[in-house]
Amino acid sequence: MSAEPRINDRIRVPEVRLVGPSGEQVGIVPLAKALELAQEYDLDLVEVAANARPPVCKLMDYGKFKYESAMKAREARKNQAHTVIKEMKLRPKIDPHDYDTKKGHVVRFLKQGDKVKITIMFRGREQSRPELGYRLLQRLAEDVADLGFVESNPKQDGRNMIMVLGPHKKKTEAMAEARQAQEARKAEAKANPGKSQNAAEADDLAEDTAEDSAEAPAEASADA
């Protein structure tokens, strides 16, 4: 069944409890009279409580109502936050440059308000040296302590050792800060004509992409 309310001539009852365009109670009137009033006001007669006896109908601009409802739903999705777990994989004997790169990814994830699953992968004889992985995880946790905390302590899982970092910042706070930064960039682009229209459109596309990704929880892996 359609979730859309019945409007105008789709309403099939002898009388309705009518609410005016400003929310005032008109009272119980014949359907024909309600339709006549809707025509006079150049508005729609919309059934807002079908199960009431008699059904409650309101005079409104239904097209405008649908548009405003869609905008409210879009804004609600912007403020919606889902827990996302990112994954970062490291080797116990990782070189300094690779470590800094991996740490940079972890910092970015935590700033976004996401949890990060850190996996140390042991191979061959490395499996006899679990303390290497433990020390590496401790080092990483200390390096990002201002952004996150150890939510799940290091533990052995077969050939791997796993630790989970949680962000200090809530996802909703991170999303709000990202939107503020984007608005600041847009304002700067308007004040500075040197920024191309393509760059401004890219910002809009990034915002839509961020909203879509926020709507669906997922586990992401960053192995690079």
Side-chain angles (χ1 to χ4, degrees):
M1 296 180 62
S2 173
E4 294 282 336
R6 293 187 295 183
I7 65 172
N8 300 327
D9 56 2
R10 290 170 54 196
I11 301 172
R12 304 289 187 179
V13 292
E15 60 184 16
V16 299
R17 184 179 298 277
L18 186 62
V19 179
S22 299
E24 69 276 15
Q25 296 290 330
V26 177
I28 297 176
V29 300
L31 176 62
K33 178 63 176 178
L35 290 170
E36 182 182 327
L37 288 172
Q39 194 169 19
E40 287 180 12
Y41 282 106
D42 193 24
L43 295 172
D44 299 299
L45 182 67
V46 182
E47 189 177 58
V48 294
N51 294 328
R53 291 292 178 268
V56 179
C57 295
K58 184 176 181 180
L59 297 174
M60 68 172 74
D61 182 336
Y62 186 57
K64 180 180 179 182
F65 170 76
K66 286 187 67 176
Y67 173 78
E68 291 176 346
S69 296
M71 291 299 99
K72 287 179 182 178
R74 186 172 187 266
E75 189 64 27
R77 287 197 300 271
K78 281 186 180 181
N79 298 325
Q80 199 173 27
H82 295 280
T83 300
V84 177
I85 299 180
K86 307 290 188 177
E87 182 174 11
M88 186 61 56
K89 297 180 179 180
L90 296 82
R91 295 292 307 281
K93 296 181 179 180
I94 187 170
D95 68 61
H97 175 74
D98 284 345
Y99 174 80
D100 289 339
T101 300
K102 303 277 188 174
K103 184 179 72 174
H105 290 311
V106 174
V107 167
R108 176 164 53 87
F109 294 149
L110 292 173
K111 282 184 176 180
Q112 292 172 353
D114 296 322
K115 295 182 181 182
V116 188
K117 175 184 175 183
I118 312 296
T119 302
I120 305 295
M121 301 179 297
F122 296 95
R123 294 179 182 173
R125 287 181 293 180
E126 292 174 347
Q127 296 178 59
S128 64
R129 301 287 306 279
E131 69 277 6
L132 295 177
Y134 184 78
R135 285 201 295 266
L136 182 58
L137 291 175
Q138 280 189 316
R139 174 188 172 190
L140 181 59
E142 291 172 1
D143 286 347
V144 299
D146 56 331
L147 298 172
F149 61 96
V150 177
E151 185 174 283
S152 177
N153 288 316
K155 63 180 180 180
Q156 198 77 27
D157 182 18
R159 295 184 177 183
N160 301 327
M161 183 175 287
I162 296 171
M163 176 181 73
V164 177
L165 295 174
H168 292 314
K169 186 183 300 181
K170 293 182 180 179
K171 183 73 173 181
T172 49
E173 294 174 358
M175 291 170 64
E177 289 182 6
R179 284 198 298 273
Q180 289 173 0
Q182 187 176 63
E183 290 301 321
R185 288 195 300 270
K186 288 182 179 179
E188 183 181 352
K190 288 181 180 179
N192 180 13
K195 181 171 181 178
S196 68
Q197 181 64 28
N198 288 341
E201 291 175 355
D203 281 346
D204 291 335
L205 178 60
E207 179 182 9
D208 293 339
T209 302
E211 289 172 20
D212 292 340
S213 65
E215 290 175 19
E219 178 168 325
S221 176
D223 297 336

